[in-house]
Amino acid sequence: MRSALKSLLCAVLPLFGGLAYAETPALQPTTIIEWKAVYGQVEARDRIPARARLGGTLIGLTVVEGDLVTAGQPIGRIEDEKLAFQLSALSAQRGALEAQLTNAQAELTRGESLLKQGVTTAQGLDALRTRVDVFKGQIAALDAQTEVISQQVKEGTVLAPADGRVLDVPVSKGGVVMPGEEIALIGGGGTFLRISIPERHAPSLHQGDKIEISAGDTTQTGTLSRIYPLIQNGRVIADVELAGLPDTFVQARMLVRLPVGQRNALMVPVTAISSTAGLDFVGVETASGPVQRSVVPGEHAIIDGVEMVEILSGLEAGDHILPSAAK
């Protein structure tokens, strides 16, 4: 009786083992992306200098590095004392011309009365009219000069050229500035990451590739938006778009991971690996039953939301891996 039962078990157990072996999926190579770690710098999309339109003394400066400004906001004041003297001179000249014009108009009125009485000639009256017109023209010319100088005085106010953050203020209050000199540098229009990578990786870069950016303990995904064709000092320059990138620190460095190639690897779930006495094992289902194989694990990766581990040695394609390590 015992002999018959033993024979029956020996015949049935291999059948169950073969059934489990057939139901366990076979290990197949997985294509994984190779990443290159580089540093990128936060750059302002627009870097516009606020320049002096007037030469003179900087008597007012209302911004410092890091301030937020809006387009058209006054950020400084330049004063040229010579303009005030010129305005005073023009005002005095206008007063003198107005006095002469008043006198000429009075003579013209008197000449018109005398012409009616036949005492003077039409030629003399025309000369009086011409004199009045000359004084009016001179006053108009002075008014135009006054407008020009008044506009120059208004241009002493330095305005922010765009919305953004003040990146640099290379001058100080009380200093003498020249026309066209930079008063402040404004960074606006948003920010992006600029990266520089070795030229050997240039063929593997494509516009639209997804880029991983590490910011502290978090990882964000950006898009490779532009690749510049000019290689400088053996390096390729490219821009990465990243939503929500702050402009608090322009030219701050951030760790960026670029896809530079692909390769095939044997990947198993991290739950399939067990460690004993410093060695790593993976359960493999064979035709004769489960066995534990010693393996050398490699890099970790997230594939379809599952944490996977690359197996460098110990397994082969076609092996039937147990999804959970033996307890």
Side-chain angles (χ1 to χ4, degrees):
M1 182 67 178
R2 290 182 179 179
S3 177
L5 182 58
K6 183 177 181 181
S7 300
L8 179 61
L9 290 175
C10 291
V12 172
L13 287 177
L15 293 177
F16 283 101
L19 180 60
Y21 176 79
E23 292 178 350
T24 306
L27 181 63
Q28 298 297 332
T30 302
T31 300
I32 61 175
I33 299 175
E34 291 188 343
W35 299 87
K36 170 69 175 179
V38 297
Y39 277 99
Q41 282 190 338
V42 178
E43 296 286 351
R45 194 173 306 280
D46 301 321
R47 301 181 67 174
I48 309 174
R51 298 189 182 277
R53 296 177 292 174
L54 175 72
T57 304
L58 186 64
I59 62 173
L61 189 62
T62 60
V63 296
V64 296
E65 291 85 348
D67 286 350
L68 291 174
V69 296
T70 57
Q73 173 183 335
I75 61 176
R77 177 67 186 169
I78 300 171
E79 185 179 87
D80 187 354
E81 295 180 354
K82 298 187 299 294
L83 297 179
F85 297 147
Q86 291 178 17
L87 287 175
S88 298
L90 291 175
S91 178
Q93 292 179 28
R94 194 180 195 284
L97 288 174
E98 284 180 345
Q100 296 181 39
L101 176 62
T102 301
N103 184 44
Q105 287 175 337
E107 291 183 0
L108 178 60
T109 301
R110 185 164 51 252
E112 291 174 346
S113 176
L114 294 175
L115 181 62
K116 292 178 181 179
Q117 299 174 9
V119 176
T120 187
T121 63
Q123 183 179 2
L125 187 63
D126 290 340
L128 293 175
R129 290 195 182 99
T130 301
R131 188 180 180 190
V132 170
D133 292 339
V134 168
F135 286 139
K136 288 182 178 180
Q138 291 178 347
I139 291 175
L142 287 178
D143 290 341
Q145 293 181 25
T146 302
E147 288 293 330
V148 171
I149 297 177
S150 297
Q151 181 62 32
Q152 291 179 342
V153 173
K154 294 178 181 179
E155 291 178 352
T157 301
V158 183
L159 305 177
D163 297 343
R165 188 179 295 274
V166 179
L167 303 181
D168 186 28
V169 182
V171 296
S172 58
K173 183 179 177 180
V176 177
V177 297
M178 302 298 292
E181 187 172 345
E182 181 179 306
I183 304 301
L185 181 62
I186 310 299
T191 53
F192 63 93
L193 278 179
R194 176 157 292 171
I195 58 177
S196 175
I197 62 176
E199 62 180 315
R200 66 178 181 273
H201 297 304
S204 62
L205 297 179
H206 302 89
Q207 189 168 325
D209 287 348
K210 296 302 181 182
I211 309 298
E212 292 186 358
I213 299 100
S214 297
D217 297 332
T218 62
T219 300
Q220 298 174 279
T221 301
T223 303
L224 192 64
S225 61
R226 179 180 298 177
I227 303 173
Y228 293 90
L230 181 62
I231 296 179
Q232 300 178 351
N233 298 323
R235 305 187 74 83
V236 178
I237 307 300
D239 295 341
V240 178
E241 294 288 345
L242 178 63
L245 187 63
D247 64 347
T248 307
F249 297 103
V250 176
Q251 290 192 344
R253 301 179 70 192
M254 301 180 69
L255 185 62
V256 178
R257 297 176 68 228
L258 302 171
V260 295
Q262 295 180 346
R263 61 186 177 87
N264 291 328
L266 297 177
M267 308 292 292
V268 301
V270 68
T271 56
I273 299 178
S274 62
S275 298
T276 303
L279 298 177
D280 296 309
F281 295 91
V282 171
V284 178
E285 185 69 43
T286 64
S288 58
V291 297
Q292 295 292 318
R293 288 188 183 174
S294 177
V295 297
V296 177
E299 297 181 357
H300 290 234
I302 303 297
I303 300 177
D304 296 332
V306 179
E307 185 177 2
M308 307 289 285
V309 182
E310 180 183 0
I311 301 301
L312 303 178
S313 66
L315 297 178
E316 296 179 354
D319 287 342
H320 294 262
I321 305 301
L322 297 177
S324 299
K327 300 297 184 181

